[in-house]
Amino acid sequence: MRFNRMLLSTTLVVVTMVIQVSVLARLHLPGAVPDLLLLTVLGLALVYGHVGGALVGFGAGLLADLAPPADHAAGRYALVLCVVGYLAGLVKPENGRLRSATGPMAVVVAAAVGTTLLYAGVGALVGDTAARHVGLGSLLFTAALYDLLLAPFVVPGIMFLARRAENDPLADTNSAAKKTDISSGWLSSGTGLRIGNQRGGLKAKAARSKAARAGRIKGVKRL
């Protein structure tokens, strides 16, 4: 199962990174760039939990730091996505399934805003002031808007693939066999059936005894 997680996470992150660099980064949209890598980390974190989300976020961010045309210090985006993946994994549902879209959309907006703020904050610490020239307010609004529009097409699919990778057919077969054995053993022991038969037999005997007494009383009266 751990191997399935690593294989799926690596494949999704690499494919997402290729699309991010080759397609989304070349759209030249006003403000921020739609962060497909962030949405992938969120989808995996909502299934794998905070530990898995932090590990996937760190790996995805490190790949983004090293992939060309990266123009920032290595490890900067890795730190940001590691923190975001950890926090997103804390709101993971117990069964890995979401009942409504309200929660994931709120997580996407919070993650988009938080990622932009953390990235700008870490950049300020290392001397990168690009966010000031572009405008932090514009970046926050466009990042939340683009990621929110893209999330319904990405996050549910990522979560579906992650849940499929978590399922173990052998474990499901064993659990089904155990349930069958338990049910067959319950029926073969006849616990419930015998109790029902005994109760029915007692009622029938009581009815017969009452009828016999009534017949005797009638016979006595006639004599």
Side-chain angles (χ1 to χ4, degrees):
M1 186 172 298
R2 296 292 180 182
F3 178 76
N4 291 342
R5 284 190 179 188
M6 294 175 58
L7 181 61
L8 177 65
S9 301
T10 303
T11 303
L12 290 176
V13 167
V14 172
V15 172
T16 300
M17 190 63 203
V18 172
I19 298 175
Q20 181 82 32
V21 174
S22 60
V23 178
L24 298 180
R26 298 185 179 183
L27 293 179
H28 300 292
L29 296 174
V33 177
D35 201 340
L36 188 62
L37 196 62
L38 172 64
L39 298 179
T40 302
V41 172
L42 292 179
L44 294 175
L46 289 175
V47 177
Y48 294 157
H50 58 283
V51 177
L55 293 176
V56 172
F58 179 81
L62 187 60
L63 179 62
D65 289 332
L66 300 177
D71 56 352
H72 55 269
R76 179 178 172 183
Y77 203 48
L79 174 62
V80 172
L81 284 187
C82 180
V83 174
V84 172
Y86 179 85
L87 295 177
L90 293 176
V91 298
K92 166 199 169 184
E94 295 182 358
N95 58 355
R97 297 178 181 273
L98 300 171
R99 297 181 179 179
S100 65
T102 305
M105 292 304 172
V107 172
V108 169
V109 173
V113 174
T115 300
T116 306
L117 290 176
L118 284 175
Y119 189 80
V122 176
L125 293 177
V126 297
D128 185 2
T129 59
R132 297 180 182 178
H133 301 291
V134 178
L136 186 58
S138 175
L139 285 177
L140 291 175
F141 176 76
T142 53
L145 178 62
Y146 296 154
D147 292 347
L148 189 61
L149 293 176
L150 195 60
F153 305 98
V154 178
V155 177
I158 296 295
M159 294 183 66
F160 173 77
L161 293 175
R163 288 196 300 265
R164 289 291 299 271
E166 286 292 281
N167 292 333
D168 189 356
L170 184 60
D172 294 340
T173 304
N174 292 336
S175 62
K178 289 180 181 179
K179 292 180 180 179
T180 304
D181 292 339
I182 293 173
S183 61
S184 61
W186 177 263
L187 292 176
S188 61
S189 62
T191 305
L193 294 178
R194 286 181 180 176
I195 290 175
N197 291 336
Q198 289 174 359
R199 290 179 179 176
L202 291 176
K203 290 182 180 180
K205 289 181 181 179
R208 276 183 249 168
S209 61
K210 287 182 180 180
R213 289 178 184 176
R216 292 174 184 173
I217 292 172
K218 288 181 180 179
V220 173
K221 288 183 178 180
R222 286 179 183 176
L223 292 174

